Amino acid sequence: MNEREEQLINAALGLFFRYGMAKTTMADVAREAGLSRQSVYASFTSKEDLLRACTRYLADQTVAGLESGFASTRPIADKLDIIFDCIAARHYALIHQSPEADDVISGFNSACKSELAEAGERYQALIAEQLQSCHQTIEHSGLTVEQLAEYILRTTKALKYEARDETHLRFLWQAQRSLLLGLLGDAKQ
């Protein structure tokens, strides 16, 4: 991704979250980025193309956050907190600060199915990698590392949509965290 594409993606994300997907035009993105419409279309052929690039950009940021957090900690409890922060807490704030949250979510879901699926696979692989040190405990409980990684990813993602407010989000996470640590035997790896 070049500098202009990143500039356009950041402008688009700001507009999408402020005004919604349906109300944001490519001309709006160009104006917000301080570029011509032709510059936008030179980088992205359509609003859907730009939306897919935004999805990949956000996924790359999430992956970078997970990798950086995992590299700086060892205890599984801390790694679970990194998963929560990167996958639920950061996105919760982004979504719930938007007056057009429903439009943004439905726009991303309808236009970016393959990008969202690919991002989920990347997140799940990173989570599974972190759970490998607990594989015997996990397998003893009747699950595979991959199954638990998928469970953690899907339930953590769901928290950002189901929580009533940030306090409730943190309460839900603490409940999930406690259950996971109970399953993992509060592993110290």
Side-chain angles (χ1 to χ4, degrees):
M1 171 182 321
N2 63 41
E3 190 176 316
R4 179 173 61 184
E5 290 171 340
E6 189 168 353
Q7 180 181 1
L8 289 166
I9 287 169
N10 282 315
L13 286 170
L15 291 168
F16 291 154
F17 284 104
R18 194 173 326 134
Y19 301 113
M21 309 293 265
K23 295 177 189 169
T24 300
T25 66
M26 294 293 265
D28 295 331
V29 174
R31 199 170 21 263
E32 183 78 9
L35 300 169
S36 69
R37 259 183 68 205
Q38 293 80 6
S39 294
V40 177
Y41 282 104
S43 295
F44 304 104
T45 59
S46 66
K47 188 161 73 169
E48 288 74 23
D49 188 32
L50 175 57
L51 187 53
R52 286 189 290 275
C54 288
T55 302
R56 288 187 299 272
Y57 178 78
L58 291 172
D60 289 345
Q61 287 185 323
T62 300
V63 166
L66 288 167
E67 289 175 337
S68 171
F70 292 155
S72 66
T73 190
R74 287 200 38 83
I76 196 70
D78 293 346
K79 291 179 182 195
L80 291 173
D81 289 336
I82 289 162
I83 293 166
F84 168 73
D85 185 54
C86 292
I87 292 175
R90 291 179 191 175
H91 295 164
Y92 177 87
L94 195 62
I95 290 167
H96 292 278
Q97 289 171 358
S98 171
E100 299 293 334
D102 290 339
D103 180 53
V104 172
I105 293 165
S106 66
F108 275 100
N109 287 339
S110 65
C112 303
K113 284 183 170 95
S114 65
E115 286 78 7
L116 291 169
E118 181 184 317
E121 290 170 9
R122 292 170 67 195
Y123 305 158
Q124 187 173 324
L126 287 169
I127 294 167
E129 185 179 305
Q130 298 308 308
L131 294 173
Q132 283 301 324
S133 62
C134 306
H135 73 93
Q136 289 178 326
T137 303
I138 294 167
E139 290 167 5
H140 182 71
S141 73
L143 297 170
T144 66
V145 168
E146 291 73 21
Q147 288 170 327
L148 185 57
E150 180 180 4
Y151 171 82
I152 291 170
L153 173 63
R154 290 183 184 276
T155 57
T156 303
K157 283 173 59 175
L159 295 178
K160 67 185 168 203
Y161 302 116
E162 297 300 325
R164 293 184 301 266
D165 55 38
E166 196 163 338
T167 301
H168 189 231
L169 175 70
R170 299 216 174 269
F171 164 77
L172 292 172
W173 170 246
Q174 287 305 315
Q176 178 168 321
R177 184 182 190 272
S178 294
L179 291 170
L180 289 168
L181 290 174
L183 173 84
L184 297 170
D186 198 13
K188 303 294 185 204
Q189 294 90 333

